[in-house]
Amino acid sequence: MHEQPAASDVRIDAWLGTLVHVVASRQNRPNLPPTSCPFCVGGLEAGESYTVKSIPNRWPPMPDDRCEVVLYANDHDARLSTLTPHNMAELIDVWAQRTSMLGARDDVSYVLIFENAGREVGATIDHPHGQIYAFDHVPDRPRRRLAAGWRPDTTTNRIIVDRDGWVATVPSASPYPLAIEIAPTERTPDLVSLSATQRQSFGAILQDVLQRIERLHGEPTPTMMWFNQRPTLSAERSAEIVGLSDAWLNVEIVSPWRAPGVLRYIAAAEVATNEYFNPVVPEDLAERLAQA
Ligand SMILES: [Zn+2]
């Protein structure tokens, strides 16, 4: 039914070790659906009434049913920031369930929940949705954050909001002009481990932060969001990952906008060196978001 890559074609750059999935099948996917929205009730991907649901990605970049699309709501014009608390709670439950189901597979080591919101960051369908990739290995970036013992930085002048056991901060050294981290103040490794009360507070701070970004810019803002969760390796393989037992759930939200409608491009000197020149002072951004 879905156009799966025949097999994975994963290559590693000989000089830098960068991992690249070559996915020729994705060249054939449409930029935009030809007619109506496929995610609206009655559409191609969502025939029956629903509130939140996870469906297979029709153009998966990895084989073996590792890629899913999560529809947040049946309202085409909703955004993550505007979902009702009830809808938000259902979404967090679906994120946790999919993490648990995919993570239980022997061939899954890391479940990545993420969202590209807005055309500027490559979203091809406006209907509110995110995605899930279930990797057969732990990718380099989350692996490095784990090894470094990532935890929320709660003693700084970069706190945006601190409420009900959760804190949102601006990281001190992001390549992006807008970057935010949200985490529980007590260590919790993943979504699955959150109690019902914690899930409710998580939904509230996530929407609070997204609404602050919109107020700061005066309009919906293109963002990329992803969750860093505990890898789902089996107990026998857990020694492969440094820092695994200290895994601390967190959500990163970044935007390429440095001002409303103004994109900051990651340019040649930055791509060349992997060193960045960020025009936005993180402490100023935190203060503006705290007051937004
Ligand atoms: Zn729609």
Side-chain angles (χ1 to χ4, degrees):
M1 171 171 77
H2 300 292
E3 192 173 351
Q4 296 269 346
S8 60
D9 180 0
V10 177
R11 307 187 190 184
I12 296 174
D13 178 274
W15 317 112
L16 295 172
T18 311
L19 196 151
V20 177
H21 301 254
V22 178
V23 195
S25 59
R26 279 174 69 82
Q27 274 290 40
N28 302 324
R29 76 198 159 121
N31 271 331
L32 282 171
T35 50
S36 59
C37 175
F39 298 159
C40 275
V41 172
L44 183 64
E45 305 276 10
E48 289 166 23
S49 179
Y50 70 93
T51 309
V52 178
K53 75 175 188 176
S54 193
I55 58 176
N57 186 322
R58 194 172 281 270
W59 288 277
M62 295 186 284
D64 309 325
D65 300 317
R66 298 173 178 280
C67 304
E68 301 186 358
V69 174
V70 181
L71 309 183
Y72 295 168
N74 52 31
D75 175 6
H76 184 86
D77 297 318
R79 299 187 299 283
L80 197 48
S81 60
T82 68
L83 299 183
T84 64
H86 181 80
N87 195 154
M88 193 70 215
E90 195 171 325
L91 174 58
I92 292 170
D93 286 345
V94 168
W95 279 334
Q97 283 160 13
R98 296 316 299 158
T99 300
S100 179
M101 296 293 289
L102 290 162
R105 283 169 45 172
D106 288 340
D107 64 348
V108 170
S109 295
Y110 191 76
V111 179
L112 177 71
I113 294 170
F114 67 98
E115 177 191 291
N116 296 311
R119 296 291 168 89
E120 289 95 333
V121 292
T124 50
I125 297 172
D126 292 329
H127 195 112
H129 72 284
Q131 299 185 58
I132 300 177
Y133 285 179
F135 289 84
D136 65 1
H137 61 279
V138 183
D140 182 58
R141 189 174 185 277
R143 183 189 283 263
R144 282 162 52 197
R145 279 169 75 98
L146 274 172
W150 188 94
R151 50 167 48 227
D153 185 1
T154 54
T155 56
T156 69
N157 53 350
R158 284 177 279 100
I159 292 179
I160 300 164
V161 57
D162 185 345
R163 53 183 281 180
D164 303 325
W166 293 81
V167 64
T169 59
V170 175
S172 67
S174 175
Y176 294 93
L178 187 149
I180 296 166
E181 294 176 333
I182 301 174
T185 51
E186 298 283 329
R187 192 183 74 80
T188 308
D190 50 31
L191 288 171
V192 180
S193 310
L194 295 176
S195 67
T197 310
Q198 285 176 305
R199 290 182 190 197
Q200 200 171 26
S201 334
F202 171 48
I205 194 170
L206 181 55
Q207 290 194 298
D208 178 344
V209 165
L210 292 167
Q211 289 161 9
R212 284 170 193 271
I213 297 171
E214 294 183 358
R215 286 198 296 270
L216 182 71
H217 288 148
E219 57 186 307
T221 300
T223 52
M224 294 183 278
M225 174 183 80
W226 59 92
F227 293 20
N228 298 301
Q229 302 199 70
R230 185 188 186 283
T232 59
L233 295 149
S234 60
E236 307 87 77
R237 294 185 52 207
S238 61
E240 293 172 23
I241 304 297
V242 178
L244 188 67
S245 58
D246 296 324
W248 197 310
L249 168 69
N250 62 93
V251 179
E252 294 182 81
I253 301 169
V254 304
S255 175
W257 277 10
R258 58 186 174 83
V262 183
L263 282 169
R264 170 175 127 65
Y265 293 94
I266 304 282
E270 300 172 297
V271 177
T273 60
N274 213 15
E275 294 183 16
Y276 298 90
F277 301 86
N278 189 341
V280 175
V281 178
E283 291 74 19
D284 293 347
L285 175 64
E287 190 178 347
R288 284 186 289 133
L289 285 166
Q291 288 169 4

